[in-house]
């Protein structure tokens, strides 16, 4: 059975060569692991960092896109004559513009025009304007007269499967075949069970809502196009833009050295990149085109909503005997992974010999999904981890105990290959201890209307392994300062800081004497997009490799000057020292050979991962909530996250990432939900007022990170696994389990809104 593909994005295929001899993992570190503040903290907080949305160029125009206001429509006529005559307007492009007559691919297999007459979701691009000011551009957009043939639509993924539903595409509303997975014999497994439970769970669609909007600035210099793009990966953007515009890769430069968050929604190029490039070309002026917050709710991705019917069989002693899951979900109007990886935890988190899953992905007239922080996994955890809680309750077992009873030793979903390391057990045991789980479970729920409860949930992440290709360059100057050149984006997780720490670890260069150039296809080395919680495990071994290449050359130079063999040298602070005779030492800045060379360059690459092994991060999370049973209001009081993500590279950025993941997971649990209007098929909450993301008031003051800080010796030369996604996988389920513990009510559908919870609390027969 083929492992599901992680992302629907362009990516590197060629593998860079393995590094020259993989170095052994560090046994001791001086810098790595410390809670170091970000190397670019000052730039970020002072406003001196230039994000793509800050880029201002001389003579720059502003672009704006006219978007289809209907869930389903055909564009019959576009009249731009009035708009073209408006003040400040320099170009209007429509489906009839020759320069904009381009083929766009929504996925690898589905093509449309850039401005396609068929609009399958609210927010599809119909025309665009470039003008001297953003206000003039938007005025002109409003002056474009479009005649639409409004068509029947379907936005409910259950209704989309009913006979007679309006077809989103010719051929119906199923996205390919139903995906099936099976191992063992579930019928036999259920027959062996002492208890069988079946519950249908669902999660609402979420929107990524990064701080910085999606967008770019486009500028032509003759045949060369430069894009300043807010992106997780400059190279995938370059690839797609070059393909659509039929240009050599070498002529497309993408710069994204800073970016304000993406969470998976900025892994791929968008139509706006092409629109900006075309507008810039025909006006011969740079064009800035950033979406509005409202647009970002419609057309640059979402976490697919899914319904998950889950049946589980368990023996009295807690042994799982069978798991069966049926998933229905939607990635919107184009193939975008509506059910992708939703069943993965059912397949792989716990030991279970008999597993069957079925996933049906459905088209609806909604904006296409994009990968969102651990695609499919928080949805799957919402179902599986609530089910584990319900099974424990049925058996009268502690939910931690039930999970410990079913800890896997190998990856069953990967043909029984062993994991390099699996800290799931430690996450549960040490997390429970640090949280005070047993005492918290015994505490009174409260006599009044406010009930207190605790919940636990666990997870693993299918990726987080990292791997080739990656190339980086480290330069060491004769004064002992260094440059690091790396193609990867720092998507807010502290990538640059961690990589500087790796250079410092190997070369002794103080962090403040390392400058980093990153995420620019012209000037930096190849990197895959920062996603899949792979950036640290992909890049850090390449950085270490580059630093070691510098170190070898440095030792050759020093060996000559100190008259000792290079093999007995080591770096101590800013000096090269003999391990045998400490008196034989020289400051790096005093090495004549280095002065004569000018600088030393080390090129590092990322070697392959071990064959026949699975590298995954694991997590367990514990939380405590108060539920006001009069209002249905849930208040999260505290959270503890125990993560096995291999080595902790930087304790501070690690904790930041845990906080961010838990914050997002609380949003999934309690408030976040894209809402379609049933009458019109339009999204009614396209803004941060009506779509509720957690604020500082909604997250607990107490979020504790309890890392299982055990370097993975087989994964790679730094021993790190991914963290960003695993920290949000169990969160929502842990909240739901705590709500159950407090109230005896199981909320199977996200979000646990006050209205929904109050209704369930009032309904007979929903408790217990
Ligand atoms: Mo992610 S969903 O790997 O940015």
């Amino acid at each position: 059975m083929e492992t599901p593909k992680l992302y629907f994005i362009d990516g590197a295929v060629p593998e860079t060569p393995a590094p020259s001899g993989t170095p052994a993992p560090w046994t001791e570190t001086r810098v790595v692991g410390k809670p170091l503040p970000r190397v670019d903290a000052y730039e970020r907080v002072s406003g001196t960092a230039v994000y793509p949305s800050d880029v201002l160029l001389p003579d720059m125009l502003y672009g704006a896109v006219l978007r289809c206001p209907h869930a389903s429509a055909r564009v019959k006529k576009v009249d731009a004559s009035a708009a073209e005559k408006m003040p400040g307007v320099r170009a209007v492009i429509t489906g009839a513009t020759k320069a904009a007559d381009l083929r766009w691919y929504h996925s690898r297999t589905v093509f449309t025009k850039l401005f396609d007459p068929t609009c399958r979701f609210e927010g599809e691009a119909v025309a665009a304007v470039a003008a001297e000011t953003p206000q003039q551009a938007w005025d002109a957009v409003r002056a474009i007269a479009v005649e639409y043939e409004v068509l029947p639509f379907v936005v409910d993924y259950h209704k989309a499967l009913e006979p007679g539903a309006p077809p989103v595409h010719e051929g119906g509303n199923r996205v390919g075949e139903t995906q099936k997975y099976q191992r063992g014999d579930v019928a036999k497994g259920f027959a062996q069970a002492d208890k069988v439970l079946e519950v249908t769970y669902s999660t609402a669609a979420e929107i990524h809502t990064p701080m910085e909007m999606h967008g770019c600035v486009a500028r032509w210099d003759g045949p060369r196009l430069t894009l300043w793009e807010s992106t997780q990966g400059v190279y995938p953007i370059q690839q797609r833009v070059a393909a659509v515009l039929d240009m050599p890769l070498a002529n497309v430069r993408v710069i994204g050295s800073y970016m304000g968050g993406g969470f998976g929604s900025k892994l791929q190029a968008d139509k706006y990149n092409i629109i900006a490039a075309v507008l810039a070309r025909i006006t011969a002026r740079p064009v800035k085109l950033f979406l509005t917050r409202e647009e970002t709710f419609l057309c640059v991705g979402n976490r697919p909503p899914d319904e998950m019917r889950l049946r589980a069989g368990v023996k009295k002693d807690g042994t799982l005997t069978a798991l069966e899951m049926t998933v229905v979900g939607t990635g919107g109007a184009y193939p975008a992974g509506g059910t992708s990886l939703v069943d993965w935890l059912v397949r792989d988190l716990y030991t279970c010999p008999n597993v069957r899953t079925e996933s049906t992905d459905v088209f609806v007239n909604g904006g296409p999904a994009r990968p969102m922080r651990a695609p499919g996994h928080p949805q799957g955890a919402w179902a599986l981890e609530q089910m584990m809680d319900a099974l424990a309750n049925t058996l009268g077992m502690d939910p931690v105990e039930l999970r410990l009873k079913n800890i896997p030793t190998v990856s069953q979903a990967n043909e029984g290959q062993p994991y390099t390391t699996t800290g799931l057990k430690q996450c549960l045991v040490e997390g429970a201890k640090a949280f005070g789980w047993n005492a918290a479970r015994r505490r009174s729920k409260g006599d009044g209307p406010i009930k207190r409860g605790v919940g636990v949930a666990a997870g693993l992440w299918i990726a987080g392994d990292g791997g080739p290709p990656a190339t980086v360059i480290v330069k060491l100057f004769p004064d002992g300062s260094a440059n690091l050149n790396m193609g990867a984006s720092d998507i807010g997780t502290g990538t640059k800081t961690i990589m500087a720490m790796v250079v410092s670890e190997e070369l002794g260069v103080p962090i403040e004497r390392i400058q980093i150039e990153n995420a620019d296809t012209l000037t930096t080395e190849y990197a895959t997009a920062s996603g899949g919680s792979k950036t640290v495990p992909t890049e850090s071994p390449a950085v270490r490799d580059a630093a070691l290449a510098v170190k070898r050359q440095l030792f050759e130079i020093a060996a000559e000057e100190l008259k000792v063999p290079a093999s007995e040298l080591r770096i101590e602070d800013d000096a090269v020292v003999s391990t045998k005779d400490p008196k034989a030492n020289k400051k790096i800045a005093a090495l004549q050979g280095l002065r004569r060379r000018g600088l030393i360059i080390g090129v590092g690459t990322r070697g392959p991962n071990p064959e026949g092994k699975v590298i995954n991060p694991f997590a367990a999370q514990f939380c405590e909530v108060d539920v006001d049973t009069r209002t249905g209001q849930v208040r999260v009081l505290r959270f503890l996250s125990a993560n096995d993500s291999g080595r902790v590279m930087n304790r501070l950025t690690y904790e930041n990432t845990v906080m961010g993941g838990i914050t997002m997971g609380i949003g999934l649990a309690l408030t976040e939900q894209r809402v379609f209007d049933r009458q019109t098929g339009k999204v009614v909450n396209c803004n941060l007022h009506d779509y509720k993301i957690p604020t500082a008031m909604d997250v607990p003051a107490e979020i504790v990170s309890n890392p299982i800080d055990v370097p993975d010796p087989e994964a790679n030369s730094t021993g790190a696994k991914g963290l960003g996604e695993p920290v949000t996988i169990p969160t929502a389920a842990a909240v739901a389990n705590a709500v159950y513990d407090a109230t005896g009510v199981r909320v199977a559908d996200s979000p646990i809104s006050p209205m929904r919870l109050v209704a369930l609390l009032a309904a007979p027969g929903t408790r217990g």
Side-chain angles (χ1 to χ4, degrees):
M1 198 135 344
E2 206 191 341
T3 301
K5 292 282 176 294
L6 194 49
Y7 296 129
F8 297 81
I9 56 162
D10 302 312
V13 187
E15 299 213 340
T16 39
S20 38
T22 306
W26 296 299
T27 47
E28 249 177 85
T29 58
R30 295 174 305 106
V31 184
V32 165
K34 297 274 167 349
L36 282 194
R38 311 212 176 195
V39 292
D40 52 6
Y42 177 78
E43 283 87 337
R44 286 179 184 271
V45 301
S46 63
T48 52
V50 179
Y51 287 72
S53 49
D54 294 326
V55 170
L56 295 173
L57 300 176
D59 285 333
M60 191 172 80
L61 297 172
Y62 293 85
V65 180
L66 170 64
R67 298 189 178 277
C68 177
H70 308 290
S72 178
R74 196 163 295 123
V75 177
K76 294 178 72 179
K77 209 173 123 201
V78 182
D79 180 359
S81 53
E84 278 163 352
K85 292 190 208 93
M86 290 177 68
V89 173
R90 297 293 169 252
V92 181
I93 58 175
T94 71
T97 310
K98 190 149 186 320
D101 185 13
L102 295 163
R103 193 166 86 138
W104 175 256
Y105 46 119
H106 278 276
S107 71
R108 292 219 165 106
T109 50
V110 178
F111 301 90
T112 62
K113 295 250 186 219
L114 182 63
F115 297 120
D116 202 272
T118 306
C119 297
R120 296 188 167 93
F121 60 93
E122 182 199 8
E124 186 57 284
V126 174
V129 174
E132 298 288 344
T133 69
Q135 291 80 2
Q136 289 170 326
W138 282 109
D139 282 347
V141 161
R142 280 186 282 271
I144 300 171
V146 185
E147 197 182 310
Y148 292 101
E149 178 190 353
V150 179
L151 300 170
F153 65 86
V154 61
V155 288
D156 176 313
Y157 59 89
H158 294 292
K159 292 216 171 88
L161 288 177
E162 288 171 5
V168 178
H169 290 270
E170 272 176 47
N173 292 334
R174 283 172 190 272
V175 185
E177 299 287 304
T178 290
Q179 298 293 305
K180 294 181 180 174
Y181 170 83
Q182 183 171 346
R183 70 167 178 260
D185 179 345
V186 283
K188 208 176 93 194
F190 285 122
Q192 290 164 350
D194 294 314
K195 295 274 181 196
V196 175
L197 290 183
E198 184 178 315
V199 181
T200 299
Y201 304 91
S202 76
T203 50
E206 286 188 291
I207 306 295
H208 300 74
T209 64
M211 293 246 282
E212 186 184 33
M213 251 62 81
H214 299 65
C216 68
V217 176
R219 185 183 74 193
W220 290 88
D221 301 284
R224 289 169 39 164
L225 171 66
T226 303
L227 290 176
W228 286 263
E229 163 79 349
S230 183
T231 181
Q232 296 175 237
V234 288
Y235 282 96
I237 304 296
Q238 179 204 41
Q239 268 186 354
R240 177 73 65 103
V241 169
V244 173
L245 295 175
D246 192 22
M247 290 170 66
L249 288 169
N251 288 22
V252 179
R253 178 182 186 185
V254 181
I255 306 171
S257 307
Y258 282 96
M259 62 87 69
F263 310 109
S265 69
K266 291 179 182 166
L267 289 162
Q268 60 204 78
D270 188 88
K271 281 185 174 182
Y272 67 71
N273 295 119
I274 308 301
I275 292 170
V278 169
L279 287 170
R281 167 136 264 176
I282 62 181
T283 58
R285 306 260 300 264
V287 170
K288 183 172 197 168
L289 175 44
F290 271 80
L291 305 193
T292 61
R293 179 60 74 186
E294 288 76 8
E295 287 175 283
T296 67
F297 274 79
L298 295 174
C299 53
V300 285
N302 53 73
R303 184 188 292 287
D306 290 290
E307 183 189 88
M308 299 152 283
R309 183 156 53 85
L310 180 59
R311 197 162 176 242
V314 70
K315 288 194 176 160
K316 276 197 199 104
D317 68 355
T319 311
L320 285 171
T321 60
L323 288 168
E324 187 173 41
M325 192 188 225
T326 310
V327 186
V328 185
T330 180
Y334 288 92
T339 53
S340 181
L341 301 176
V342 172
D343 66 345
W344 191 256
L345 293 179
V346 166
R347 295 191 200 186
D348 216 29
L349 183 58
Y350 298 113
T351 298
C352 185
N354 309 301
V355 176
R356 209 165 77 85
T357 72
E358 261 190 35
S359 304
T360 304
D361 194 351
V362 181
F363 287 125
V364 300
N365 293 106
R370 286 187 182 179
M372 183 166 169
R373 203 167 189 169
H377 286 52
Q379 297 99 305
W382 177 259
L384 177 63
E385 289 303 282
Q386 289 205 64
M387 175 58 85
M388 291 299 280
D389 206 60
L391 290 173
N393 191 53
T394 303
L395 295 171
M397 228 172 143
D398 182 291
V400 172
E401 284 304 314
L402 176 65
R403 287 172 174 84
L404 288 173
K405 189 89 200 172
N406 295 284
I407 296 281
T409 52
V410 297
S411 175
Q412 301 156 97
N414 285 298
E415 283 84 39
Q417 290 178 14
Y419 298 110
T420 48
T421 49
T422 161
L424 183 57
K425 186 176 166 190
Q426 290 95 313
C427 289
L428 284 160
V429 171
E430 291 176 33
K433 196 165 150 221
F435 183 81
W437 173 250
N438 290 333
R441 288 255 302 163
R442 282 194 299 269
R443 211 154 29 232
S444 137
K445 309 278 175 241
D447 297 329
I450 295 178
K451 304 291 182 196
R452 183 159 293 192
V454 286
V456 59
L460 66 71
W461 167 231
I462 187 176
D465 48 354
T471 304
V472 301
I473 292 177
V474 171
K475 288 182 189 175
L476 181 69
F477 293 95
D479 65 351
S481 66
N483 282 166
L484 167 62
N485 177 302
M486 165 184 76
S489 302
D490 183 338
I491 60 175
T493 51
T495 305
K496 286 161 70 181
T497 308
I498 288 169
M499 299 312 149
M501 291 166 79
V502 173
V503 173
S504 179
E505 185 70 46
E506 290 297 346
L507 296 179
V509 180
I511 295 286
E512 60 277 10
R513 285 170 71 81
I514 300 169
Q515 288 302 323
I516 303 168
E517 170 84 2
N518 80 310
D520 179 338
T521 59
L522 183 68
T523 62
T524 67
E525 305 317 305
Y526 189 82
T528 44
S530 293
S533 304
K534 291 176 177 224
T535 315
V536 165
T538 291
E539 299 295 329
S540 65
V543 172
R544 188 171 178 219
D545 188 47
L548 287 173
V550 168
K551 196 155 144 178
R552 278 193 294 276
Q553 298 169 68
L554 186 68
F555 285 178
E556 276 167 32
I557 292 169
E560 216 164 280
E561 292 179 28
L562 293 170
K563 308 267 181 293
V564 297
S567 58
E568 69 180 50
L569 291 173
R570 65 184 176 87
I571 288 177
E572 200 178 295
D573 298 327
D574 55 352
V576 183
V577 188
S578 160
T579 45
K580 299 236 170 86
D581 173 15
K583 286 203 295 295
N585 70 77
K586 210 163 184 186
K587 290 220 185 285
I588 291 172
L591 289 169
Q592 290 309 310
L594 180 50
R595 296 209 164 265
R596 281 196 300 275
R597 284 259 295 263
L599 66 96
I600 300 176
I601 289 179
V603 179
T605 57
R606 173 59 155 89
N609 289 332
E611 300 246 341
K613 299 249 169 134
V614 176
I615 303 164
N616 284 165
F618 296 83
Q621 293 183 339
F622 300 80
C623 77
E624 186 154 14
V625 302
D626 265 352
V627 181
D628 187 328
T629 54
R630 297 163 301 187
T631 62
Q633 188 76 36
V634 177
R635 211 155 62 87
V636 183
L637 302 172
R638 63 188 182 111
F639 239 104
L640 181 133
S641 188
N643 291 86
D644 163 28
S645 289
R647 182 189 297 279
V648 176
M649 298 294 285
N650 176 334
R651 183 66 197 239
L652 186 59
T653 59
Y654 194 101
E655 285 177 4
N656 295 162
T657 299
V658 168
M659 286 178 194
I662 285 172
T663 302
M664 286 189 95
I666 289 173
L668 172 61
L670 298 180
T671 53
E672 294 190 45
Q673 177 178 30
R674 176 191 63 185
V675 179
F676 284 118
D677 177 36
R678 261 173 285 179
Q679 307 299 321
T680 60
K682 288 161 74 75
V683 181
V684 298
N685 56 345
C686 288
N687 58 70
L688 292 175
H689 179 266
D690 298 312
Y691 179 95
K692 305 285 188 195
I693 62 169
T695 68
M697 303 297 284
D698 306 301
V699 296
E702 188 185 327
I703 296 180
V704 177
S705 171
N706 191 77
I708 311 301
D709 186 5
V710 180
D712 186 327
E714 287 182 272
N716 59 65
S717 73
T718 61
K721 303 191 280 188
L723 176 68
E725 285 161 302
V727 290
T728 205
I729 291 168
T731 308
V735 173
N737 290 340
V739 168
Y740 175 83
D741 184 52
T743 63
V745 164
R746 174 79 46 208
V747 188
D749 306 304
S750 88
I752 308 173
S753 63
M755 226 166 36
R756 178 172 272 152
L757 184 51
V758 155
L760 287 171
L761 284 163
T766 43
R767 283 172 202 242

